[in-house]
């Protein structure tokens, strides 16, 4: 039981650090509140969906920016999608980069777009890593018979 | 003297032309440059010349007087004398020297004579041995060479003679001859001496014959006079001498305009009139009194020579005894210089002003830049603040759904309301910059001034930490409902009240509300404002009108009578419009007029005073009070904190709404902030039989007519119990239902007759019975905090009409619950949390229908029958997922489509109560989709959609052919919270918007607004 308490404490700390470092915002809390006994694993489900979606979108973006003539309109649409998704799950830092990314699209600034794409990818890999860790920790607690929601 | 001088000057000076310039014969006509006091005016100039040295000439007399009596004159005289004396002394000295020399010579000669005699006697023995020649005066003579010429003439050359004696030496003859020779020599010498003596005598005589000092003096004076004249002849100067009584004794004027007799012997004041004359006279007198020379610039404005400026130099003239006997006066005309100087000064001044302006401008630019930076920072900051804060608030909301005891709930209520307030304020601070940039648009919504006043005071009371009484007075003639931008008005009130509370330490803070006639400042701009308000009144006013103008006949065919009753309330809730008017006279009056004139709108000017008994505002601080970031003093800022933005925002907002904000204050006594604003009053009245009274009973809080609120200083334990001691008792339900008005305008627009009829018949009874139930029910629910979701099973088998009615009840119920909520958050009566209120609502519904209180489990069938139909239009899967889950959690289910086209199809197939519409979507965006749907609602066909390429669906289902029965509430979901985006949403016909990401709170607020 002590192990679980320890794990739970770690989870709390870790979650707090994610918020503190700006990876997540309160929207993520909203997601967590949506999870209940009728809807277990909701967060994981949504976030997994987000990962899939983001992977796809990042691919699209990379492809679009690799073209000799960039279609900024579709580029912008993709970024908008990513922005919406990240905002919905509370991936704060991605959301912010997306805002700047859209500005670059609006300015038709290829260089800025590439820079932003790099940044989005970077942030995405970071948040993905963090969230996966978070879920693993949660899973550990659940497996140990503890509860992850307070 | 002039002429005399002139005639002589001609010889000396070629340039002397004065005599031709001023011939004697015109002398009397034009006046002369020199005007000197004279003994008699009958003398002509020629005579003057002849009497050149006559002592009777007055000027000389005066001059003599002056030279005799004044220091200056005597010194001048002394100088001349000295000069003359020096010259004479020199001559005397030379003569004397000559004389000395002569006598020396004589002595020498005599000496030699003696020597010779001695020698001769001595040389008798060795006579032949040496014959030394003797030369007399040979060398001495030349020492006289430097003597003046006239003396040289008289020089005597003494011949050097050798004595020659033919006789034999040392004979008697020789001695005889020698003696005779010497005798002769002596004689010659004596003779010479005599000649010299004569010469000397003559020279002395000659010397005596030379000119007298007076003559020489006058010579010199003449010369000086000539020079003086030469210098002065073109100089623009006036020179004068005035005596003790300041009468002119002498004047020289280059541009004489007056005759001599007009000047001499007169004073300035006697000569001219006009400004400056007196001044100059006084100045002269002053100089005379002080005895010190002085200069002064005097501008004359006289008839004689117009406007001229003179620089005057005046010096006193003293007698030898030290008394002032007159002044010398010298003036130079410097009009041009003065003018130039003034022009220069003006120029310099202008330059200075220019420079000042420049610096001011630079400052302004600097400030503007600063402001812009600040604004930008504010915008970003507010965004940063908003997210975490909304987190806090929504967490608090969720916390309120859990099991809490009474006190916790109350505290939570305050927390939520405060959080909401802060959020609101952040938005409003952003709005301030929008107001300035002209982006800010006002919204026109119906609201109840009494409610606003009460809520503002309640909010203030809830967070009050001092022993203050808060009170509100609303005059009876204030309409129950007015139209205006309630958020802004509330913000202004809240700001002013919190300000008042902040600066008041004891006593009270209060709000007075009363109707005033249209103030003069608004006569013109008021009309403008009204028109703009009307145009921005898209969310509500326009909607109503549209509905009114929509052909209703076709819809009537499909809609049963009861259904109508269902529809209207649900819309009315948007305005928070329950009619809870009591027997107040103005209500019935409104009601009367309403039934005849359905849509007249009038403007009413309401004055609102926010007064306090606080520290007051010093008078000097009042002008800067409404400037941003300004506080009365740095001390105040330290002591009381705050940004200094509050009043600036208030003023901006009030002015934006076409009003005026003023302040009156007395230090240490208190301040009163007054704002006067125009509001529109919709006189449209409604007499529907809506059993709205539920709320009245439930609430026991008759906001509509209550005119006085007071919140006494709270003590621990009675935190929220102080509200409304003066609240009138509940009024009989029958009265209320018959006095319905104002809120349910659509009903009266569309079905006036039906309404009247229904009023008369069933509604009264229904309402009264329901009220009783409801009040009981609320009692029971308040004790049991959480009741299972719904108890609608009893409704399953009720007939269609009943169901519709039930729906209507349900919506009314939820309306009540909103009042519950407000009551709770603001700490008034009810402490029920929102969720529980929902239960109250459903309870009421079921009870009304079946008169039983079942505790059945929920069934999906019932739910779908009762739940509103919601459509989510969103292309982002994740957003869909999250929103859907939230909806589910809130107890609603909904349909989901992924773009505008699908949304149109969905609307064609089903009838929805609410559509949550993403704005930015592929295929067809939310704005376009909304337009199509609104077009359908107005025209009853999908032509616009067909044109847009969406082929109408086949009439496979019953609903598809159903014509628009109800306006769908379309809520935009936008990631962009900027005003223009919201404007766009409203412009295309959306009812409101939620910003993304969607949260519990936002969803709940929206649905509550539209699903009652």
């Amino acid at each position: 039981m002590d192990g679980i308490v320890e794990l739970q404490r770690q989870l709390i700390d870790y979650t707090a650090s994610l918020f503190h470092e700006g990876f997540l915002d309160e929207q993520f809390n909203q997601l967590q509140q949506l999870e209940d006994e009728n809807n277990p694993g909701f967060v994981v489900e949504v976030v997994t969906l987000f990962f899939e979606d983001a992977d796809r979108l990042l691919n699209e973006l990379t492809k679009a920016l690799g073209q000799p003539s960039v279609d900024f309109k579709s580029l912008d649409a993709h970024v908008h999608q990513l922005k919406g998704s990240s905002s919905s799950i509370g991936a704060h830092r991605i959301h912010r980069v997306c805002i700047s990314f859209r500005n670059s699209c609006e300015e038709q600034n290829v260089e800025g777009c590439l820079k932003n794409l790099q940044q989005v990818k970077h942030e995405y890999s970071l948040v993905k890593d963090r969230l996966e860790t978070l879920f693993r920790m949660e899973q550990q607690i659940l497996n140990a018979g503890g509860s992850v929601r307070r | 003297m002039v002429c005399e001088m002139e005639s002589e000057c001609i010889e000396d000076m070629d340039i002397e032309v004065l005599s031709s310039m001023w011939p004697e014969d015109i002398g009397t006509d034009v006046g002369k440059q020199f005007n000197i006091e004279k003994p008699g005016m009958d003398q002509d100039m020629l005579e003057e010349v002849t009497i050149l040295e006559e002592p009777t000439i007055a000027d000389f007399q005066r001059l003599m007087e002056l030279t005799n009596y004044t220091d200056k004159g005597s010194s001048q005289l002394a100088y001349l004398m000295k000069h003359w004396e020096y010259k004479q002394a020199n001559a005397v000295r030379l003569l004397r020297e000559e004389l000395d020399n002569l006598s020396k010579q004589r002595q020498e000669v005599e000496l030699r004579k003696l020597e010779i005699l001695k020698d001769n006697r001595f040389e008798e023995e060795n006579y032949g041995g040496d014959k030394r020649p003797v030369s007399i005066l040979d060398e001495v003579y030349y020492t006289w060479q430097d003597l003046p010429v006239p003396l040289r003439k008289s020089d005597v050359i003494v011949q050097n003679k050798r004595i020659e004696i033919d006789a034999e030496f040392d004979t008697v003859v020789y001695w005889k001859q020698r003696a005779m020779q010497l005798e002769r020599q002596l004689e010659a010498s004596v003779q010479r001496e005599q000649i010299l003596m004569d010469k000397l005598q003559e020279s002395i005589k000659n010397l005596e014959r030379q000119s007298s000092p007076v003559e020489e003096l006058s010579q010199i004076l003449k010369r000086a006079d000539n020079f003086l004249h030469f210098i002065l002849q073109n100089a623009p100067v006036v020179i004068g001498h005035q005596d003790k009584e300041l009468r002119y004794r002498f004047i020289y004027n280059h541009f004489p305009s007056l005759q001599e007799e007009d000047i001499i012997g007169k004073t300035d004041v006697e000569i001219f009139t006009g400004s400056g004359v007196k001044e100059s006279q006084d100045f002269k007198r002053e100089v005379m009194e002080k005895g010190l020379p002085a200069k002064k610039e005097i501008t004359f404005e006289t008839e004689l020579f117009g406007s001229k400026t003179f620089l005057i130099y005046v010096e006193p003239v003293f007698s030898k005894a030290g008394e002032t006997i007159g002044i010398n006066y010298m003036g130079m005309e410097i009009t041009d210089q003065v003018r130039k100087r003034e022009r220069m000064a003006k120029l310099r001044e202008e330059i200075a002003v220019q420079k000042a302006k420049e610096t001011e401008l630079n400052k302004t630019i600097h400030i503007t830049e600063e402001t812009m930076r600040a604004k930008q920072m504010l915008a970003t900051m507010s965004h940063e603040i908003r997210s975490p804060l909304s987190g806090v608030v929504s967490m608090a909301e969720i916390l309120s759904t859990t099991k809490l005891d009474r006190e916790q709930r109350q505290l939570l209520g305050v927390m939520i309301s405060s959080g909401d307030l802060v959020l609101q304020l952040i938005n409003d601070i952003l709005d301030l910059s929008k107001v300035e940039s002209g982006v800010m648009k006002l919204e026109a919504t119906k609201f109840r001034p009494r409610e606003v006043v009460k809520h503002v005071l309640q909010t203030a009371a809830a967070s009050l930490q001092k022993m203050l009484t808060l009170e509100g007075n609303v005059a009876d003639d204030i309409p129950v409902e007015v139209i205006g931008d309630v958020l802004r008005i509330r913000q202004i009130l809240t700001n002013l009240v919190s300000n008042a509370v902040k600066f008041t330490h004891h006593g009270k803070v209060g709000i007075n509300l009363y109707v005033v006639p249209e103030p003069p400042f608004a006569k013109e701009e008021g009309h403008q404002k009204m028109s703009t308000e009307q145009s921005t009144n898209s969310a509500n006013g326009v909607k109503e009108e549209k509905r009114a103008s929509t052909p209703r006949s076709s819809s009537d065919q499909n809609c049963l009578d009861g259904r109508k009753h269902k529809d209207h309330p649900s819309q009315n809730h948007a305005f928070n419009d329950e009619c809870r008017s009591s027997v107040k006279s103005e209500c019935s009056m409104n009601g009367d007029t309403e039934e005849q004139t359905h849509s007249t709108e009038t403007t009413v000017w309401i004055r609102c005073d926010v007064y306090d008994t606080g520290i007051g505002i010093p008078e000097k601080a009042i002008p800067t009070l409404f400037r941003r970031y300004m506080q009365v003093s740095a001390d105040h800022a330290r002591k009381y904190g705050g940004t200094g933005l509050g009043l600036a925002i208030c003023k901006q907002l009030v002015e934006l709404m076409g009003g005026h904000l003023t302040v009156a204050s007395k230090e240490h006594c208190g301040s009163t902030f007054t704002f006067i604003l125009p509001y529109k009053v919709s006189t449209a009245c409604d007499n529907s039989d809506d059993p709205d009274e539920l709320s009245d009973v439930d609430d026991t809080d008759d906001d509509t007519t209550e005119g006085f609120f007071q919140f006494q200083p709270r003590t621990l334990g009675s935190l929220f119990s102080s509200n409304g001691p003066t609240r009138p008792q509940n009024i009989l339900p029958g009265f209320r239902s018959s006095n319905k008005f104002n809120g349910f305008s659509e009903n009266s627009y569309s079905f006036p007759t039906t309404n009247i009829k229904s009023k008369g018949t069933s509604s009264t009874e229904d309402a009264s019975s329901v009220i009783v139930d409801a009040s009981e029910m609320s009692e029971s629910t308040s004790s049991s905090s959480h009741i299972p979701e719904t108890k609608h099973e009893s409704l399953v088998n009720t007939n269609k009409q009943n169901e519709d009615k039930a729906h209507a009840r349900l919506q009314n119920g939820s309306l009540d619950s909103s009042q519950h909520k407000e009551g709770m958050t603001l700490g008034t009566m009810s402490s029920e949390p929102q969720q529980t209120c929902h239960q109250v609502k459903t309870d009421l519904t079921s009870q009304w229908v079946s008169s039983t209180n079942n505790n059945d489990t929920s069934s999906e069938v019932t739910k779908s029958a009762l739940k509103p139909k919601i459509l989510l239009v969103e292309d982002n899967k994740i957003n869909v997922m999250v929103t859907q889950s939230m909806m589910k959690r809130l107890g609603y289910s909904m349909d989901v489509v992924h773009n505008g086209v699908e949304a149109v199809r969905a609307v064609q197939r089903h009838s929805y109560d609410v559509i949550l519409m993403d704005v930015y979507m592929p295929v067809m965006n939310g704005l376009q989709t909304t337009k199509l749907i609104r077009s359908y609602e107005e025209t009853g066909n999908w032509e616009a959609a067909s044109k847009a390429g969406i082929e109408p669906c086949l009439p496979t289902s019953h609903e598809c052919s159903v014509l628009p029965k109800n306006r769908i509430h379309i809520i935009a979901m936008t990631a962009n919270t900027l005003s223009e985006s919201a404007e766009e949403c409203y412009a295309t016909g959306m009812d409101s918007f939620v910003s993304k990401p969607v949260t519990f709170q936002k969803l709940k607020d929206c649905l509550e607004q539209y699903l009652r």
Side-chain angles (χ1 to χ4, degrees), chain A residues 26-27 30-31 33-36 42 45-46 49-50 53 76 80-81 83-85 87-89 96 102, chain B residues 384 387 390-391 394-395 398 875-879 881-882 885-886 889 920 922 975 996-1000:
Chain A
E26 59 99 13
Q27 185 67 19
Q30 298 261 335
L31 287 194
Q33 283 148 31
L34 289 173
E35 202 169 72
D36 57 14
F42 174 75
E45 197 182 328
V46 173
L49 187 64
F50 168 72
D53 195 43
D76 186 54
H80 176 77
Q81 286 286 327
K83 178 172 160 242
S85 310
S87 146
S88 271
I89 69 150
R96 289 189 57 165
R102 286 198 73 187
Chain B
E384 299 295 310
S387 320
S390 63
S394 49
M395 289 309 104
I398 282 153
D875 62 317
N876 189 307
K877 279 181 276 179
I878 291 129
N879 291 354
M881 203 165 165
V882 172
S885 297
M886 284 180 177
R889 178 58 77 86
Y920 190 99
K996 281 183 177 178
V998 174
T999 62
F1000 268 130

Side-chain angles (χ1 to χ4, degrees), chain B residues 16 112 184 341 487 604 862 977:
Chain B
E16 179 57 67
R112 184 151 300 274
R184 267 198 305 279
R341 194 181 60 203
L487 277 182
V604 61
T862 327
T977 52

